[in-house]
Amino acid sequence: MSVLIPDDRAFSSFKEECGSEEGWSLTYNKTDMTVWTQTIGGDEEKSLHKIKCRMACKDVPAETMYDVLHDIEYRRKWDANVIETFDIGKLTVNADVGYYSWKCPKPLRNRDVITLRSWLPTGSDYIIMNYSVKHAKYPPKKDMVRAVSIQTGYLIQSHGPNHCTLTYLAHVDPKGSLPKWVVNKSSHFLAPKAMKKISKACLKYGEWKQRHNPGFKPWLYPEQTTLPTIPLSEISIQHADSLENIDESTLSEMQTREERDSD
């Protein structure tokens, strides 16, 4: 199966799934935040899960949200879970390949991923989505578990000059047998917490960007990019079954001080 750069139909399909509730189980519903999960496969313990999180942002323009989710330099500032992130190269004016590694809840091993990311503004809405690929120069690391993004992304919908809705949809194979508390924790604590961090980061972005190359936004102005062009022949689909399976199903949860304070 060859690597495909998403077309208009792929973006349309992603947007439709972001808005659909059929087949999804509501797991979290509080002020301005809703989370659903979906089990893929019959075995609750071993199956993959999709997660969808929707947040209303009443003080954030859709354009700012789009910039924050794209700006890799700013992500290093606000994303406390990031270990390392960088762009590898571009494919087209609205598609690139990048690396991202992140901290997992203790005592799980940290994960990393290489993805083909694509983006599309559609009127007052914006879509950013990705899926996993392989690149020969960036093989799995010994101290990381290489996860697989089957399809992950964001839908930003504008509701006026200072109001938007952000929907995060993730279908990820974390590679390994995870304990059930990880799935529960993701839908009840980690996903809403991460979404709120994005919203807070948006409120500070304008001031930060004024001091950090304010005119540089290659996701809006592709002629600004300095990334090398990658031929499609250099990347291939990352299949989950070709990666090491890590059994972490017996690990117990280690509650952090931050979580205890929020209980």
Side-chain angles (χ1 to χ4, degrees), residues 3-251:
V3 172
L4 297 175
I5 296 174
D7 57 14
D8 289 346
R9 287 181 300 175
F11 283 104
S12 179
S13 176
F14 178 81
K15 183 176 181 179
E16 184 177 333
E17 186 167 11
C18 283
S20 173
E21 295 183 19
E22 185 177 351
W24 291 86
S25 299
L26 182 66
T27 59
Y28 182 98
N29 189 13
K30 292 188 178 180
T31 306
D32 298 330
M33 184 82 65
T34 311
V35 181
W36 299 264
T37 57
Q38 187 180 98
T39 302
I40 310 299
D43 190 329
E44 179 70 22
E45 294 294 328
K46 297 181 180 179
S47 297
L48 300 181
H49 291 76
K50 287 185 179 182
I51 187 168
K52 178 162 56 179
C53 191
R54 185 178 299 145
M55 173 179 62
C57 305
K58 296 178 180 178
D59 299 313
V60 178
E63 297 86 351
T64 300
M65 180 68 74
Y66 187 61
D67 287 348
V68 166
L69 291 173
H70 266 292
D71 198 321
I72 197 169
E73 295 300 328
Y74 190 53
R75 178 173 284 274
R76 294 188 182 108
K77 176 177 175 59
W78 66 263
D79 187 352
N81 290 321
V82 68
I83 297 173
E84 186 179 15
T85 182
F86 55 85
D87 296 324
I88 295 171
K90 68 176 181 178
L91 297 168
T92 67
V93 293
N94 69 324
D96 62 18
V97 176
Y99 174 86
Y100 179 76
S101 59
W102 69 95
K103 302 171 188 173
C104 287
K106 293 180 180 180
L108 302 180
R109 286 170 60 181
N110 295 329
R111 260 68 176 173
D112 70 355
V113 68
I114 292 176
T115 61
L116 187 161
R117 184 182 62 154
S118 54
W119 55 93
L120 184 70
T122 57
S124 59
D125 299 339
Y126 303 86
I127 297 173
I128 305 171
M129 59 187 191
N130 72 62
Y131 68 89
S132 280
V133 293
K134 288 193 292 187
H135 192 292
K137 293 182 180 179
Y138 302 93
K141 299 181 178 182
K142 291 183 179 180
D143 60 338
M144 294 272 181
V145 177
R146 178 61 52 89
V148 176
S149 168
I150 298 167
Q151 185 180 55
T152 302
Y154 297 95
L155 169 64
I156 307 162
Q157 296 172 293
S158 177
H159 302 290
N162 292 297
H163 182 196
C164 72
T165 299
L166 175 65
T167 302
Y168 169 69
L169 175 63
H171 185 190
V172 176
D173 186 343
K175 288 310 300 174
S177 301
L178 297 177
K180 193 171 182 179
W181 63 262
V182 173
V183 178
N184 293 335
K185 188 173 184 178
S186 294
S187 60
H188 291 90
F189 180 78
L190 296 179
K193 181 169 175 278
M195 295 284 277
K196 290 174 184 175
K197 280 190 174 182
I198 295 172
S199 182
K200 289 181 180 179
C202 289
L203 298 177
K204 299 178 181 179
Y205 181 67
E207 179 185 353
W208 180 90
K209 189 61 176 173
Q210 283 299 316
R211 295 182 280 108
H212 298 82
N213 209 353
F216 185 69
K217 294 183 179 182
W219 53 93
L220 296 179
Y221 313 111
E223 66 276 7
Q224 294 180 343
T225 187
T226 57
L227 292 175
T229 299
I230 298 178
L232 279 176
S233 59
E234 283 191 12
I235 58 177
S236 57
I237 298 289
Q238 177 66 78
H239 294 290
D241 55 11
S242 68
L243 294 168
E244 182 182 7
N245 227 15
I246 308 298
D247 187 358
E248 297 173 303
S249 59
T250 60
L251 296 178

